[in-house]
Amino acid sequence: IYLLFSILSTSAIFVIFKWLGKLQTNTFLVIVLNYIFAGAIGWIMEGGGFVDKVIQSNWAAVTVLLGACFVGMFYLMAVTTHRSGTSSTVTANKMSVVIPVAAAFLLYDDDVSILKILGITLALIGIFLVTRSKQTERNQGRNVWLLILIFAGSGMIDTIIKLIEQKYLSGTDVIAFTSVLFLTAFVMGMLIVLLQLKKTRRTFNARMIFLGLLLGIVNFGSIYFLVLALKHGGIQSSVLFPLNNIGIVITATVFSILLFKEQLSSFKIAGIVVSIVSLLVLMLAT
């Protein structure tokens, strides 16, 4: 159930991003606002002992660094999307699942089986087909180093989240951890906004605040439920991360069809079919 909520929350993020594009709103300002709302949700849920818990924790310093990485990866993805196209960027981002999967095998002694390897392979093929477009072909080979950084950075963030969950977090720390992660991202993002305001003179307005709140709610859920799914222990992380990524790809695609009347290409249809098969195989492997 935690994995399902993580998939739905993350898919909702992509829907909101699509909506932001149609509204022609400053996406970066909304994202910065979303971080403060996401952080505040955790603070409120945690209650009066939030600050003491963070100060006394052994995970706060690592979480602050991870929060900074969140903002850095956003900037990197924005630049890469502009130079290499959306499809190439999404493909590099989602293919990065191989990094936390490899870490699960090497660091946490996850079981290796033929079903698991087959399911992961099919998941990667499904992700590639669903995110593939003519844009991917046109930009192949351009700005490869940026795509490599997206691949490595996204994979390392997932790996570090698993590491923190495994080594430092108790069951009662998940809310505080999620809150600190987003509050750090907000501080870093605001520093960038303040620098940009001198050049662009853009400011926040009521619509941005509403969209930031909406995005903050689902963004908090995406990390909070993912960590709970990892901590629950019912599914090994070498299976959970592919299930999460392929579930997001399928759900976000379905949302795009229903809400934005997006047309399905033959590659997307094939990718969805392969992705569903990979889900079935991975569930058999659990």
Side-chain angles (χ1 to χ4, degrees):
I1 192 67
Y2 294 138
L3 179 59
L4 176 62
F5 284 146
S6 176
I7 289 170
L8 290 173
S9 299
T10 309
S11 300
I13 292 172
F14 288 103
V15 172
I16 293 172
F17 278 146
K18 187 91 171 179
W19 189 23
L20 288 175
K22 290 184 176 295
L23 293 175
Q24 296 182 332
T25 301
N26 188 305
T27 302
F28 183 68
L29 293 182
V30 173
I31 286 173
V32 171
L33 281 173
N34 119 85
Y35 287 141
I36 186 62
F37 286 124
I41 288 168
W43 196 324
I44 293 168
M45 288 174 65
E46 192 63 47
F50 174 80
V51 175
D52 289 337
K53 177 173 282 191
V54 173
I55 293 173
Q56 295 168 10
S57 72
N58 59 354
W59 45 260
V62 182
T63 307
V64 166
L65 290 174
L66 187 60
C69 289
F70 266 44
V71 177
M73 278 303 298
F74 168 76
Y75 252 133
L76 186 59
M77 290 180 71
V79 171
T80 308
T81 300
H82 177 70
R83 295 187 182 182
S84 295
T86 303
S87 296
S88 298
T89 306
V90 171
T91 302
N93 176 258
K94 293 305 175 188
M95 289 291 189
S96 68
V97 71
V98 300
I99 296 176
V101 167
F105 289 138
L106 296 173
L107 301 178
Y108 307 115
D109 298 322
D110 277 21
D111 300 328
V112 181
S113 67
I114 294 174
L115 272 180
K116 191 179 287 187
I117 297 298
L118 176 61
I120 292 169
T121 303
L122 288 172
L124 292 173
I125 294 171
I127 290 169
F128 175 75
L129 290 173
V130 170
T131 57
R132 186 180 184 277
S133 72
K134 293 179 180 179
Q135 196 178 44
T136 310
E137 294 177 351
R138 284 199 304 268
N139 292 298
Q140 201 168 26
R142 292 176 55 193
N143 303 300
V144 173
W145 63 277
L146 284 175
L147 295 171
I148 291 172
L149 286 175
I150 291 287
F151 175 85
S154 300
M156 288 307 300
I157 284 175
D158 283 343
T159 303
I160 293 170
I161 289 175
K162 171 60 183 177
L163 176 66
I164 294 173
E165 177 274 322
Q166 183 83 7
K167 299 292 184 181
Y168 301 110
L169 289 185
S170 68
T172 59
D173 288 337
V174 178
I175 295 173
F177 159 76
T178 309
S179 183
V180 170
L181 187 65
F182 286 120
L183 289 174
T184 303
F186 170 72
V187 172
M188 299 295 179
M190 274 305 298
L191 291 175
I192 297 169
V193 168
L194 291 173
L195 291 173
Q196 286 185 338
L197 285 178
K198 294 180 180 180
K199 300 177 181 179
T200 63
R201 303 296 179 186
R202 289 173 176 170
T203 56
F204 299 110
N205 56 43
R207 185 168 69 174
M208 285 183 182
I209 293 171
F210 170 73
L211 291 169
L213 173 61
L214 198 61
L215 187 59
I217 292 170
V218 294
N219 207 359
F220 179 86
S222 69
I223 299 296
Y224 176 64
F225 290 121
L226 176 61
V227 175
L228 285 180
L230 287 167
K231 185 154 285 298
H232 189 262
I235 305 174
Q236 291 185 334
S237 58
S238 57
V239 171
L240 190 142
F241 279 114
L243 282 175
N244 188 57
N245 272 27
I246 203 68
I248 291 166
V249 168
I250 292 174
T251 307
T253 301
V254 171
F255 282 165
S256 294
I257 295 167
L258 296 177
L259 299 177
F260 303 109
K261 310 302 180 185
E262 185 177 300
Q263 297 298 312
L264 283 180
S265 66
S266 56
F267 283 110
K268 282 187 183 291
I269 294 171
I272 290 172
V273 172
V274 173
S275 297
I276 292 171
V277 173
S278 76
L279 283 175
L280 296 174
V281 172
L282 286 169
M283 283 190 286
L284 288 173
T286 56

